[in-house]
Structure formats: structure tokens, C-alpha cells
Amino acid sequence: MQSSTFRLAFLVVLISVLLSLRDPSKGEPQNHAIHGISPPKLDLQPSLEYDFYRNSCPKAESIVRSSMAQIFAAHSDAPPALLRLLFHDCFIQGCDASILLDDSNESMNRSAEKLAIPNQTLKGFDKVGKIKEELEKACPGVVSCADILVLATRDGIVLAGGPFYPVLTGRRDSNQSYFQEAMDDIPKPDGNITQTLGLFTLRGFNERETVSLLGGHSIGKISCEFIQGRLFNFSGTGQPDPSIASDFLDEMRRNCQDSGNSSHGMASPPMVSRAMSELTLGMTYYQGLSSSVSSGSAFDTHYYQSLLQGRGLLFSDQQLMAEEKTERLVRAYASDDGSTFQMDFARSMMKMSSLSVLTGSQGQVRLNCSKMVSS
């Protein structure tokens, strides 16, 4: 009965995701457009399948769901950590779990992807490992780490109040890691709008998909190391970012004291970056909001409302207001009750989760997510 209910829910959401976008101002279908912006074309990897493990590991997805529920009960910060982990994995050579590989792997070149500077503050590796252990007990050597990360992230988003979206499965794990690609191609927190859109465009995302995906910043905290440059040494000037309103600057500085490090986070050595990430509390977009604006539930439009007020925490976030088309999207999402953002976010996450996957005989299925299977 539970399986039938889940399948029905899956089909209902899939149909709604593929066919339905709503105008936030009228609540009626509006030619699949929002303020003149065409919706993204959903481009799922055809080699993935619904319920791929139905024969080889029938309880795979329910094990992931129940494990995530237990993890979330003990660690409410797990969903944003996994969302960031998934993004950093999929953005570099596709969703292949390469981000999970350790630096050893019987190699001395220390070129593991997770060691790249943009990845050094990632968390959630232990959560994926815990779920993998449960699946190995049930179905040894069957469920890939890439599928676990995608499924666990989706389930975490739902637990955090975000939208459910269908996840097709059948991914395989990479047998290599991509250190240099991660160094070069992960969008930077201090990147301008041209740089950010350019990196997303290279992976097939248009402006609307990009703006909706960045709305994932509405959950979790942003480590102070990522914004200290704006507060104390913007672009090496020794001064704060002049675009930050004085009252907001004071507010952010109260939350993120100057560490005394001259590089102020953005160019910190790896050990300094990691220490700062662990020792500072960071800020959420709740803190970035005026007290006169209701933030509502965690996964709502408060991220976009913050940008309208010039209170974006990351420079790259606030840069969404620097280009006409992305500004229009920010205003559209901010004026909505959250339904259009959640629908667009769901569509974009389906696309993100299917980027350049390995299937069939490609790659491998790891027994331990941090270690490649020896040939």
C-alpha cells in the first residue's frame, strides 16, 4: 500500500513538474511563462530509470528515506549540507560521487576533488557513508554512492520544507577524482553575475534555472569566511564592499568578527579556511532580513526578498540584481507565495541531478563511498 501511494505521488509530481507553472499574481496557468521569461526545458538523462533498483534492491529508496529521517532528527543542518555536497559533485564532471573520494586511494598525488579549496568546507560525507552502510547490509555492492547522494539530498530537502521532486536512478560511481576542475569551475562566492551565469550556462542552465537553484541558499548557514572579504577587504581595497548598506554592514560585522587574517577568508590557506568554518557561526538569510519582513517557513522566498532589500549575504547572490533578466526573476519569486519558486527549484534539481551521469557499464559501484573499487 505504501509503495502504491509513493508511486502515485511520484507520477502526480512528475506530471505537475513537466506541465505546470503558475503565475504568482493570478494563481492560474499562464502560458508556461513568468513575467515574460520562458520556463526551462527539462532535459533528463534518458538512460536513468524510475525505481531502477526495483529488482536488485527493492527497499533501496525506502532505506534512504528512513535513514535521512533519522539523520534529520539528530542533525537539522544535514539537508543544506547535502544540497551543497550534491551541487559540488554534479557541477564537476557530472553526478558521479567523485566528490566523496578520499585523498589516499592508493595514490600519493593528493589530487582528490574534495581537497580543492572550494570543497574544503563541505560537510555531509559521514551522512552519505552512514546511508551506504545500511544499504550494504541490505544489498551488498548494488546501490551506487551517486544515487545515494541524489536521493538523500532530495529527501533532505523535503524534510527541510522544500518541494518533493522525482528522482530517477541508475547512476554509477566515478573511478577518478577531479581536483583541478573543482579548483577552476565551482562558482565563487565573490563572483560577479557574468562569471556565475557563464559557469551555469556551460552546464546547460539558463538564467531562470540558475536563479531558482541559487534559492537553495534559503536553508542552512553561510560561513563567515565566505563574506568576510565583503566586510573588511573587498577586492583587496582594505575597505568593505561599498554596495552594502551601512546598517546591514554593521549587522553582518556583529555576526562575523574580523579574524585578523589579512586575506579575510577568500584566499585563506586551506587549514585557516577549515578552522574558520568550524569556529564561526555564520549567518542565515533570516538574519539578513529586515524585522519588518516575515520569513515564513525555511524553504520560502525570504532569500529573494533579502536580495530586493540589498541584503544578500554573498556578493554572488546580490549580483543577481545586477542584470535585468535575473533581477526580474528575483522580483517574480519574491512576489510569489513560494509555489513558483518551489516548482522551478524542483525542475532545476531534477536537471542538476541528471548531469553527465555514468550508467550501464560505465564507472563502478563502490562498496565504500570514499574508496574506489580496485580493478
Side-chain angles (χ1 to χ4, degrees), residues 67 71 82 85 100 124-137 145 148-149 152 367-370:
S67 296
I71 290 170
L82 289 175
L85 190 59
L100 304 179
F125 297 97
D126 57 328
K127 309 302 187 296
V128 178
K130 180 178 180 180
I131 298 171
K132 177 64 171 175
E133 289 176 5
E134 294 302 312
L135 284 164
E136 284 300 300
K137 293 176 186 177
C145 299
I148 292 171
L149 180 54
L367 306 180
N368 179 321
C369 290
S370 66

Side-chain angles (χ1 to χ4, degrees), residues 34 37 40 193 196-197 200 205-218 299-300 303-304 307 316-317 319-334 340-342 344-345 348:
I34 179 172
I37 303 298
I193 187 64
T196 299
L197 290 179
F200 276 89
F205 293 97
N206 61 25
E207 291 92 343
R208 182 172 182 165
E209 292 166 326
T210 300
V211 175
S212 68
L213 284 171
L214 290 176
H217 287 171
S218 62
F299 215 99
D300 62 11
Y303 167 79
Y304 301 105
L307 300 185
S316 58
D317 285 333
Q319 277 282 290
L320 292 181
M321 298 296 292
E323 204 267 349
E324 182 181 356
K325 187 174 289 188
T326 54
E327 178 185 357
R328 255 193 301 148
L329 287 161
V330 169
R331 293 187 182 280
Y333 288 141
T340 304
F341 159 56
Q342 291 212 8
D344 281 6
F345 181 81
S348 298

Side-chain angles (χ1 to χ4, degrees), residues 97-151:
S98 58
I99 190 68
L100 304 179
L101 288 169
D102 278 343
D103 60 322
S104 55
N105 289 315
E106 302 177 358
S107 172
M108 299 301 293
N109 62 13
R110 299 185 62 81
S111 60
E113 197 172 317
K114 65 167 59 172
L115 296 181
I117 291 175
N119 293 334
Q120 289 176 1
T121 57
L122 292 175
K123 298 179 180 180
F125 297 97
D126 57 328
K127 309 302 187 296
V128 178
K130 180 178 180 180
I131 298 171
K132 177 64 171 175
E133 289 176 5
E134 294 302 312
L135 284 164
E136 284 300 300
K137 293 176 186 177
C139 313
V142 173
V143 183
S144 70
C145 299
D147 274 343
I148 292 171
L149 180 54
V150 169
L151 288 165

Side-chain angles (χ1 to χ4, degrees), residues 17-36:
V17 166
L18 293 174
L19 301 179
S20 180
L21 283 174
R22 300 180 71 84
D23 182 332
S25 64
K26 297 180 180 180
E28 296 292 333
Q30 191 193 40
N31 297 324
H32 304 289
I34 179 172
H35 293 262

